Amino acid sequence: MGKRVRVNRGPLAEIDLSALQYNLETVKRIIDKRPVIAVVKADAYGHGSVEIARRLVALGVIHLAVAYTGEAKQLRESGVAAEIIVLFDRSDIEDYFTYGLVPVVQDKETAREFSLEAVKRGRGIRVHMKIDTGMGRIGFIPEQAVSDAVEISGWEGIELAGIMSHFSEADLADRSYALHQLKLFNDIKSAIAARIGRPLMSHIANSAAVLSFKDALMDAVRPGLLLYGSSPFQDSFGLRPLMTVKTRVLAVRSLCAGTPVSYGRTFVAKNDCRIAVVPVGYADGYNRLFSNNGEMLVRGRRAPVAGRVCMDVTMLDVTGIGGVCEGDEVVILGGQGNETITAADLAARIGTIPYEILTSLGGRSRRVYIN
Ligand SMILES: *Cc1c(COP(=O)(O)O)cnc(C)c1O
């Protein structure tokens, strides 16, 4: 076998695990004694699911949630023993048994498959049932949810442990619709409990609900974004971002007035200027929509992106910032000196949400963890 060659490309993401602890404590103050189901899907929103899950477990979290069984498998193989709820995947029934995972069942057919597999293996499986209260994505439809729950809970091998739903407005801007969803969910929850004679662990609260919607906290909460220190609202709620994404200036060039920069000549120097070339591009998750639009921090100051973001590099106009030279630290996301660029700032510039900024930049950077 040949020696593995490591390619060093893209920026560095520093992940501050003490901020994770701080954000978790913030959640705990809000939710009292309720359990947290920590959402670590999409590689923990670009922060690295293994390291994040390990730290969460060390901090006392006993429930984790991922989107797909492959994500859960990676956690198990890294020694994470906490309960893992799989939110979406239903492709490989066997994995749930092999890795001891908790499926979210979304229809009767899948529940039946879990029952059959459980019987075959001579052991039960805990499942949570997803109710579609208005997200229009997946789950049992409200009209049949109660009778379906009663039926499924009677199937051999199935231990119906929880019911869940999800809000359609991630930021809960339209509270009336969220209230409608919550009422539907509460009615279904009570009806099921009455019919099967015991309560089920119910959960619906995402980050926005945890931060702003007390009535939706139910028996457990399911935050993702806020654990990583980003808020779905304008208000940061004092959360501390975990991720700083940085790199170093590759080259600095002095250009004469009239010189175009980057593809399509969308930036032309009005006066003589200094341009810093930065080794991060859209292949590293720095969106091309930041062309002539984004900013990065150099020497504690904001430097605007000049011209189009390329695949591997981006140019900054550092004319107004004295003394910038090759090797200077450049912060793409996070703080430097007195300036900070948040995921929310970046998201607002290109018409997206902080979730996409974190998964894009964090997902493709080399990561280091600090405490
Ligand atoms: C991603 C996800 C969450 C977490 O949402 P945040 O807004 O990041 O808190 C909760 N529940 C489900 C079903 C999800 O898919």
Side-chain angles (χ1 to χ4, degrees):
M1 254 187 16
K3 214 168 156 194
R4 182 130 146 252
V5 179
R6 272 190 78 134
V7 178
N8 236 7
R9 79 152 290 146
L12 194 70
E14 269 179 17
I15 313 290
D16 177 2
L17 293 172
S18 69
L20 180 65
Q21 174 167 10
Y22 180 87
N23 299 331
L24 181 65
E25 279 162 8
T26 305
V27 176
K28 284 187 177 163
R29 274 197 298 278
I30 298 171
I31 64 172
D32 202 17
K33 298 268 183 293
R34 293 175 181 85
V36 176
I37 301 167
V39 180
V40 296
K41 65 189 180 187
D43 213 7
Y45 293 40
H47 295 70
S49 64
V50 170
E51 289 80 0
I52 295 292
R54 280 185 182 148
R55 180 55 62 98
L56 287 168
V57 170
L59 294 168
V61 169
I62 57 172
H63 310 277
L64 303 170
V66 296
Y68 302 112
T69 51
E71 297 177 312
K73 197 165 152 180
Q74 186 194 7
L75 293 177
R76 285 285 183 257
E77 282 165 356
S78 310
V80 174
E83 178 186 89
I84 305 178
I85 298 173
V86 180
L87 297 169
F88 298 106
D89 206 351
R90 53 181 187 176
S91 59
D92 195 347
I93 300 285
E94 296 192 345
D95 276 347
Y96 289 87
F97 292 87
T98 312
Y99 297 99
L101 312 176
V102 176
V104 169
V105 295
Q106 339 177 343
D107 55 50
K108 265 165 64 171
E109 298 69 51
T110 318
R112 170 60 79 190
E113 285 179 54
F114 279 112
S115 169
L116 292 175
E117 186 68 22
V119 170
K120 196 169 102 191
R121 290 173 182 249
R123 56 180 263 215
I125 186 161
R126 289 160 55 77
V127 308
H128 288 220
M129 188 174 157
K130 176 90 172 248
I131 320 288
D132 183 2
T133 56
M135 173 73 179
R137 190 165 68 178
I138 54 166
F140 288 82
I141 59 167
E143 292 74 19
Q144 276 155 37
V146 178
S147 58
D148 285 345
V150 172
E151 192 180 342
I152 289 167
S153 67
W155 288 349
E156 206 178 331
I158 297 282
E159 187 200 323
L160 185 56
I163 59 165
M164 60 177 284
S165 193
H166 193 51
F167 286 118
S168 148
E169 319 265 330
D171 57 358
L172 293 176
D174 181 355
R175 189 50 63 85
S176 62
Y177 193 66
L179 283 166
H180 156 79
Q181 286 190 267
L182 184 61
K183 176 164 190 330
L184 205 48
F185 188 54
N186 265 318
D187 291 349
I188 291 167
K189 170 199 154 131
S190 312
I192 295 175
R195 292 274 302 274
I196 67 175
R198 65 186 170 88
L200 299 173
M201 176 161 125
S202 57
H203 44 103
I204 189 170
N206 55 4
S207 292
V210 169
L211 292 170
S212 75
F213 197 7
K214 249 199 157 9
D215 289 344
L217 299 180
M218 313 285 293
D219 301 326
V221 297
R222 248 179 17 242
L225 189 71
L226 75 73
L227 294 174
Y228 308 106
S230 196
S231 152
F233 302 104
Q234 290 285 333
D235 184 350
S236 74
F237 286 88
L239 296 165
R240 280 173 46 192
L242 274 62
M243 194 189 301
T244 301
V245 179
K246 49 173 80 162
T247 185
R248 290 188 179 280
V249 172
L250 187 71
V252 181
R253 305 177 68 218
S254 296
L255 303 181
C256 302
T259 310
V261 173
S262 194
Y263 290 111
R265 293 178 291 145
T266 58
F267 177 96
V268 179
K270 282 197 198 72
N271 305 298
D272 291 356
C273 70
R274 277 165 61 79
I275 296 290
V277 184
V278 180
V280 57
Y282 58 78
D284 306 300
Y286 193 66
N287 201 298
R288 193 165 170 278
L289 296 172
F290 289 121
S291 299
N292 292 307
N293 178 19
E295 286 175 340
M296 297 184 197
L297 305 179
V298 190
R299 299 200 165 225
R301 307 265 306 275
R302 291 176 177 265
V305 171
R308 293 216 173 117
V309 173
C310 307
M311 184 181 285
D312 316 293
V313 291
T314 298
M315 273 62 79
L316 301 176
D317 183 352
V318 294
T319 312
I321 307 174
V324 175
C325 51
E326 191 185 314
D328 276 0
E329 181 189 86
V330 180
V331 168
I332 298 153
L333 170 70
Q336 189 191 58
N338 296 323
E339 292 282 357
T340 302
I341 294 175
T342 66
D345 296 338
L346 290 175
R349 279 181 183 274
I350 63 168
T352 186
I353 49 178
Y355 302 76
E356 190 178 359
I357 299 295
L358 294 176
T359 50
S360 306
L361 278 175
R364 277 171 264 189
S365 302
R366 291 166 290 129
R367 296 193 196 102
V368 291
Y369 292 86
I370 53 176
N371 285 290

mmCIF file of all heavy atoms in Angstrom, residues 247-250 252 297-299 321-331 336:
data_model
loop_
_atom_site.group_PDB
_atom_site.id
_atom_site.type_symbol
_atom_site.label_atom_id
_atom_site.label_comp_id
_atom_site.label_asym_id
_atom_site.label_seq_id
_atom_site.Cartn_x
_atom_site.Cartn_y
_atom_site.Cartn_z
ATOM 1 N N THR A 247 -7.748 31.688 7.625
ATOM 2 C CA THR A 247 -6.678 31.254 6.736
ATOM 3 C C THR A 247 -5.611 32.350 6.749
ATOM 4 O O THR A 247 -5.634 33.203 7.632
ATOM 5 C CB THR A 247 -7.228 30.958 5.313
ATOM 6 O OG1 THR A 247 -6.182 30.433 4.513
ATOM 7 C CG2 THR A 247 -7.798 32.200 4.649
ATOM 8 N N ARG A 248 -4.663 32.297 5.815
ATOM 9 C CA ARG A 248 -3.623 33.326 5.768
ATOM 10 C C ARG A 248 -3.489 33.902 4.363
ATOM 11 O O ARG A 248 -3.714 33.206 3.375
ATOM 12 C CB ARG A 248 -2.273 32.738 6.217
ATOM 13 C CG ARG A 248 -2.267 32.426 7.684
ATOM 14 C CD ARG A 248 -0.932 32.033 8.238
ATOM 15 N NE ARG A 248 -1.084 31.779 9.661
ATOM 16 C CZ ARG A 248 -1.123 32.729 10.598
ATOM 17 N NH1 ARG A 248 -0.963 34.008 10.264
ATOM 18 N NH2 ARG A 248 -1.298 32.415 11.859
ATOM 19 N N VAL A 249 -3.134 35.162 4.315
ATOM 20 C CA VAL A 249 -2.971 35.825 3.012
ATOM 21 C C VAL A 249 -1.914 35.089 2.188
ATOM 22 O O VAL A 249 -0.812 34.817 2.669
ATOM 23 C CB VAL A 249 -2.561 37.308 3.203
ATOM 24 C CG1 VAL A 249 -2.206 37.948 1.863
ATOM 25 C CG2 VAL A 249 -3.661 38.091 3.903
ATOM 26 N N LEU A 250 -2.273 34.788 0.949
ATOM 27 C CA LEU A 250 -1.381 34.055 0.052
ATOM 28 C C LEU A 250 -0.415 35.014 -0.653
ATOM 29 O O LEU A 250 0.750 34.704 -0.848
ATOM 30 C CB LEU A 250 -2.260 33.342 -0.990
ATOM 31 C CG LEU A 250 -1.634 32.366 -1.954
ATOM 32 C CD1 LEU A 250 -1.231 31.097 -1.220
ATOM 33 C CD2 LEU A 250 -2.658 32.019 -3.048
ATOM 34 N N VAL A 252 0.048 39.579 -1.687
ATOM 35 C CA VAL A 252 -0.511 40.932 -1.749
ATOM 36 C C VAL A 252 0.044 41.595 -2.993
ATOM 37 O O VAL A 252 1.232 41.493 -3.282
ATOM 38 C CB VAL A 252 -0.116 41.770 -0.507
ATOM 39 C CG1 VAL A 252 -0.732 43.164 -0.585
ATOM 40 C CG2 VAL A 252 -0.554 41.078 0.769
ATOM 41 N N LEU A 297 -11.916 39.578 7.727
ATOM 42 C CA LEU A 297 -11.162 40.404 8.671
ATOM 43 C C LEU A 297 -9.666 40.200 8.476
ATOM 44 O O LEU A 297 -9.187 39.061 8.427
ATOM 45 C CB LEU A 297 -11.549 40.052 10.111
ATOM 46 C CG LEU A 297 -13.051 40.126 10.442
ATOM 47 C CD1 LEU A 297 -13.300 39.718 11.901
ATOM 48 C CD2 LEU A 297 -13.588 41.525 10.184
ATOM 49 N N VAL A 298 -8.968 41.324 8.331
ATOM 50 C CA VAL A 298 -7.506 41.309 8.236
ATOM 51 C C VAL A 298 -6.984 42.424 9.133
ATOM 52 O O VAL A 298 -7.484 43.554 9.060
ATOM 53 C CB VAL A 298 -7.025 41.592 6.787
ATOM 54 C CG1 VAL A 298 -5.523 41.323 6.663
ATOM 55 C CG2 VAL A 298 -7.792 40.776 5.775
ATOM 56 N N ARG A 299 -6.019 42.107 9.969
ATOM 57 C CA ARG A 299 -5.473 43.105 10.903
ATOM 58 C C ARG A 299 -6.591 43.818 11.687
ATOM 59 O O ARG A 299 -6.542 45.044 11.878
ATOM 60 C CB ARG A 299 -4.610 44.126 10.168
ATOM 61 C CG ARG A 299 -3.441 43.438 9.502
ATOM 62 C CD ARG A 299 -2.310 44.360 9.162
ATOM 63 N NE ARG A 299 -1.147 43.514 8.885
ATOM 64 C CZ ARG A 299 0.068 43.744 9.340
ATOM 65 N NH1 ARG A 299 0.323 44.799 10.069
ATOM 66 N NH2 ARG A 299 1.042 42.905 9.065
ATOM 67 N N ILE A 321 -6.314 49.325 4.516
ATOM 68 C CA ILE A 321 -5.772 48.692 5.718
ATOM 69 C C ILE A 321 -4.253 48.657 5.614
ATOM 70 O O ILE A 321 -3.705 47.979 4.746
ATOM 71 C CB ILE A 321 -6.332 47.256 5.886
ATOM 72 C CG1 ILE A 321 -7.872 47.264 5.837
ATOM 73 C CG2 ILE A 321 -5.831 46.621 7.181
ATOM 74 C CD1 ILE A 321 -8.517 45.901 5.838
ATOM 75 N N GLY A 322 -3.609 49.403 6.479
ATOM 76 C CA GLY A 322 -2.162 49.547 6.349
ATOM 77 C C GLY A 322 -1.386 48.264 6.641
ATOM 78 O O GLY A 322 -1.766 47.487 7.514
ATOM 79 N N GLY A 323 -0.343 48.036 5.892
ATOM 80 C CA GLY A 323 0.649 47.027 6.241
ATOM 81 C C GLY A 323 0.273 45.574 6.037
ATOM 82 O O GLY A 323 0.961 44.680 6.532
ATOM 83 N N VAL A 324 -0.809 45.316 5.283
ATOM 84 C CA VAL A 324 -1.183 43.904 5.080
ATOM 85 C C VAL A 324 -0.095 43.195 4.289
ATOM 86 O O VAL A 324 0.393 43.712 3.274
ATOM 87 C CB VAL A 324 -2.531 43.792 4.323
ATOM 88 C CG1 VAL A 324 -2.856 42.329 4.015
ATOM 89 C CG2 VAL A 324 -3.656 44.439 5.130
ATOM 90 N N CYS A 325 0.334 42.045 4.750
ATOM 91 C CA CYS A 325 1.350 41.327 3.993
ATOM 92 C C CYS A 325 1.074 39.829 3.950
ATOM 93 O O CYS A 325 0.198 39.318 4.668
ATOM 94 C CB CYS A 325 2.744 41.622 4.515
ATOM 95 S SG CYS A 325 2.904 41.417 6.271
ATOM 96 N N GLU A 326 1.790 39.180 3.090
ATOM 97 C CA GLU A 326 1.673 37.741 2.906
ATOM 98 C C GLU A 326 1.799 37.046 4.260
ATOM 99 O O GLU A 326 2.651 37.411 5.072
ATOM 100 C CB GLU A 326 2.801 37.292 1.972
ATOM 101 C CG GLU A 326 2.672 35.872 1.483
ATOM 102 C CD GLU A 326 3.905 35.488 0.651
ATOM 103 O OE1 GLU A 326 4.317 36.295 -0.204
ATOM 104 O OE2 GLU A 326 4.433 34.389 0.876
ATOM 105 N N GLY A 327 0.917 36.079 4.506
ATOM 106 C CA GLY A 327 0.991 35.349 5.759
ATOM 107 C C GLY A 327 0.118 35.910 6.870
ATOM 108 O O GLY A 327 -0.082 35.267 7.899
ATOM 109 N N ASP A 328 -0.435 37.112 6.666
ATOM 110 C CA ASP A 328 -1.334 37.676 7.695
ATOM 111 C C ASP A 328 -2.558 36.788 7.867
ATOM 112 O O ASP A 328 -3.081 36.234 6.898
ATOM 113 C CB ASP A 328 -1.825 39.074 7.270
ATOM 114 C CG ASP A 328 -0.842 40.170 7.623
ATOM 115 O OD1 ASP A 328 0.214 39.846 8.192
ATOM 116 O OD2 ASP A 328 -1.136 41.339 7.302
ATOM 117 N N GLU A 329 -3.022 36.721 9.116
ATOM 118 C CA GLU A 329 -4.220 35.934 9.378
ATOM 119 C C GLU A 329 -5.456 36.623 8.782
ATOM 120 O O GLU A 329 -5.607 37.832 8.880
ATOM 121 C CB GLU A 329 -4.418 35.786 10.891
ATOM 122 C CG GLU A 329 -5.641 34.956 11.228
ATOM 123 C CD GLU A 329 -5.964 34.991 12.725
ATOM 124 O OE1 GLU A 329 -6.669 35.919 13.157
ATOM 125 O OE2 GLU A 329 -5.503 34.072 13.423
ATOM 126 N N VAL A 330 -6.317 35.809 8.157
ATOM 127 C CA VAL A 330 -7.586 36.305 7.602
ATOM 128 C C VAL A 330 -8.712 35.524 8.270
ATOM 129 O O VAL A 330 -8.693 34.295 8.260
ATOM 130 C CB VAL A 330 -7.658 36.060 6.076
ATOM 131 C CG1 VAL A 330 -8.976 36.566 5.511
ATOM 132 C CG2 VAL A 330 -6.479 36.701 5.362
ATOM 133 N N VAL A 331 -9.664 36.245 8.852
ATOM 134 C CA VAL A 331 -10.805 35.562 9.464
ATOM 135 C C VAL A 331 -12.012 35.672 8.539
ATOM 136 O O VAL A 331 -12.429 36.759 8.147
ATOM 137 C CB VAL A 331 -11.112 36.131 10.865
ATOM 138 C CG1 VAL A 331 -12.460 35.633 11.381
ATOM 139 C CG2 VAL A 331 -10.007 35.726 11.834
ATOM 140 N N GLN A 336 -11.867 38.882 15.155
ATOM 141 C CA GLN A 336 -10.448 39.250 15.108
ATOM 142 C C GLN A 336 -10.362 40.682 15.606
ATOM 143 O O GLN A 336 -11.087 41.543 15.093
ATOM 144 C CB GLN A 336 -9.917 39.143 13.669
ATOM 145 C CG GLN A 336 -8.414 39.294 13.547
ATOM 146 C CD GLN A 336 -7.995 39.458 12.095
ATOM 147 O OE1 GLN A 336 -8.443 40.377 11.416
ATOM 148 N NE2 GLN A 336 -7.129 38.581 11.639
#
